[in-house]
Amino acid sequence: MNPENAETTVHDHRRIGRELDLFDTDPLMGAGLPYWLPDGAVVRYALEEYVREVERKAGYRHVYSPVLGKRELYEISGHWSHYSADMFPPMELGGEQVVLRPSLCPHHALMFRSRAHSYRELPVRMAELGTMFRSEPSGVLGGLTRVRAIQLNDAHVFCTMEQVVDEAAAALGLIRDAYEALGIRPARYRLSLPGPGGKYVDAPESWRRSVALLTEVLDGSGLPYEAVEGEAAFYGPKVDVQIADPAGRESTLSTVQIDFHQPERFGLEYVGADGAKHRPVMIHRSIVGSLERAVAHLVEAHGGAFPVWLAPVQVVALPVTDAEGQVAARLVERCREAGLRAESVGPDRGTLGARIRAARLVPYQAVVGPREAAGDLVALRLRDGRQVAALPAGEAVGRIERVAAARGTGLWVGDGPDARR
């Protein structure tokens, strides 16, 4: 199997995750509460850093908020009346009831409300990689796709009505760019609308406006989409970016939502150009959704052969004999100084062929034989089977560094004549 085309093969992230020592669970920690092993933590951290950088460049400012809140907070937001079945029970604390938060948006609404705002400051873009909790039934828990403690890439934009379409469209653009960098193919785009029943906030005019605005965003994007009733959040419609696992099962990874409800409930205000107080609109936006679900999908989509910038080990040095061990160690040190994740695997771990096979998911295998050691050269084998003519070690490391820094899905710079099948 060619790992670069592994997305065409059915993979189970639970099996691969355990085989590659990415994550695991323990009954003493509890169902739906996976822990991350060092290699899995590398993937998660690289994804977190990517998201933070993208958000910073897009004008978001990052915050931290507590994972607990008073029950009253979620009564105001509407979560308690519309969503309490998915929340953990309240805990008594100092005569008050507190709960593990099911969402970050009420916290961000309070943070916006804590300071006065002028129309000149808007849009205010607030982002957080924060933990939230869902009381998922045991029967639906599985690997990283359905968990009880969720690390969410969340953000909220507080803006004027005139800014809503541009801000929501920009958020959708961030999602599309991230999917390209991660090698994720959306299954479809869905406009999630309210359905019948008492599940949704009773505010017909707000629903009409928010649905019209999201429809304008989607129509302007040129993306094909379908409208589906009964899939909206309780407070507003949303654009859901659907992904599918190799077996064809769909789930939502990323969202863009427009919310008139919580700004009203929390009394959010800004001072307009006319000197009067106005109500902002709240856009909820997640580029990669929960890190757990995102990593699960990446494991399955790539079969464990992650893009270079996400790979737990990016370069493995393979000395042919013990005599080249020190040269291989220096290469590893040089890679690490360049910010690359590298390790050396010597002859004590088997024949060269066996070590190459064991490192088949590592993007770059640097074979160090007598000729390379004598000339400070590196003979690279790429994960997809190509071999690169021997390069000076510094040049080889520099090229790998550029590929990793580009945060794309390619393996080599330019695929020029120095790379061959």
Side-chain angles (χ1 to χ4, degrees):
M1 179 186 71
N2 181 352
E4 292 302 301
N5 296 319
E7 67 271 18
T8 62
T9 304
V10 174
H11 298 289
D12 185 331
H13 81 276
R14 293 166 297 184
R15 175 182 59 79
I16 297 173
R18 287 177 172 85
E19 287 177 356
L20 300 182
D21 284 336
L22 301 179
F23 66 90
D24 212 332
T25 57
D26 191 290
L28 285 178
M29 292 187 189
L33 299 169
Y35 58 83
W36 298 77
L37 294 161
D39 280 354
V42 166
V43 177
R44 172 171 161 168
Y45 182 79
L47 186 56
E48 290 175 354
E49 285 300 288
Y50 167 75
V51 167
R52 287 192 180 98
E53 182 177 323
V54 165
E55 289 173 336
R56 282 193 298 268
K57 290 179 177 178
Y60 288 81
R61 301 190 69 186
H62 291 92
V63 298
Y64 292 101
S65 57
V67 298
L68 293 172
K70 291 172 63 174
R71 171 175 165 171
E72 181 184 359
L73 170 62
Y74 303 104
E75 290 174 343
I76 294 172
S77 70
H79 285 83
W80 192 255
S81 57
H82 292 89
Y83 201 76
S84 58
D86 296 298
M87 297 170 61
F88 283 97
M91 297 174 280
E92 295 292 334
L93 186 63
E96 297 178 329
Q97 286 193 331
V98 297
V99 296
L100 290 167
R101 66 179 176 193
S103 172
L104 281 68
C105 46
H107 293 255
H108 289 185
L110 291 183
M111 294 167 80
F112 179 86
R113 192 177 74 174
S114 69
R115 303 288 186 273
H117 297 279
S118 162
Y119 72 96
R120 294 185 180 89
E121 300 171 52
L122 272 54
V124 171
R125 304 183 185 99
M126 191 180 299
E128 181 174 2
L129 280 162
T131 306
M132 65 182 192
F133 300 85
R134 301 282 170 87
S135 181
E136 298 278 15
S138 298
V140 303
L141 299 173
L144 296 177
T145 54
R146 293 290 290 269
V147 294
R148 288 173 170 160
I150 302 165
Q151 189 75 13
L152 187 67
N153 157 228
D154 205 9
H156 298 93
V157 180
F158 303 89
C159 63
T160 68
M161 181 68 77
E162 293 74 24
Q163 295 168 332
V164 171
V165 170
D166 286 345
E167 288 297 313
L172 190 58
L174 293 179
I175 293 170
R176 296 172 72 179
D177 291 345
Y179 281 30
E180 184 176 345
L182 292 164
I184 294 176
R185 298 174 182 172
R188 61 187 173 119
Y189 291 86
R190 185 178 74 191
L191 176 58
S192 295
L193 304 173
K199 176 182 175 182
Y200 304 98
V201 169
D202 185 15
E205 178 57 21
S206 292
W207 282 101
R208 185 195 65 77
R209 287 190 296 165
S210 52
V211 168
L213 289 165
L214 275 186
T215 300
E216 182 178 348
V217 170
L218 282 167
D219 289 343
S221 72
L223 293 169
Y225 68 94
E226 57 184 303
V228 179
E229 291 189 355
E231 295 294 339
F234 73 83
Y235 49 77
K238 53 186 176 141
V239 175
D240 286 327
V241 185
Q242 299 296 103
I243 56 171
D245 68 13
R249 294 182 293 262
E250 274 196 20
S251 58
T252 301
L253 185 60
S254 310
T255 62
V256 180
Q257 308 169 29
I258 293 178
D259 180 6
F260 291 102
H261 171 72
Q262 290 188 72
E264 179 73 27
R265 296 283 290 178
F266 285 104
L268 305 186
E269 297 176 337
Y270 69 92
V271 177
D274 57 359
K277 292 181 178 179
H278 299 267
R279 187 83 67 212
V281 183
M282 190 173 178
I283 299 172
H284 305 240
R285 183 246 68 195
S286 182
I287 297 176
V288 297
S290 81
L291 296 182
E292 289 81 10
R293 182 169 290 178
V295 171
H297 185 72
L298 288 169
V299 169
E300 294 184 340
H302 297 291
F306 294 104
V308 174
W309 62 279
L310 281 174
V313 178
Q314 296 164 316
V315 182
V316 59
L318 301 171
V320 174
T321 69
D322 288 333
E324 292 85 40
Q326 289 188 352
V327 176
R330 286 199 298 272
L331 174 62
V332 167
E333 184 178 351
R334 181 178 260 162
C335 287
R336 290 174 177 172
E337 288 174 352
L340 298 170
R341 298 181 289 273
E343 63 180 33
S344 179
V345 179
D348 59 312
R349 303 275 289 275
T351 65
L352 180 61
R355 285 178 283 150
I356 288 173
R357 289 190 295 273
R360 67 190 182 282
L361 298 180
V362 177
Y364 306 102
Q365 302 162 7
V367 178
V368 182
R371 185 171 72 91
E372 289 80 19
D376 194 27
L377 301 173
V378 173
L380 288 176
R381 298 175 63 94
L382 307 189
R383 180 174 57 197
D384 62 5
R386 285 177 290 174
Q387 297 183 29
V388 179
L391 294 169
E395 182 180 348
V397 171
R399 291 198 187 192
I400 295 171
E401 183 184 4
R402 289 198 296 277
V403 174
R407 285 181 168 142
T409 55
L411 268 180
W412 199 238
V413 179
D415 268 359
D418 58 343
R420 61 182 187 277
R421 292 271 175 195

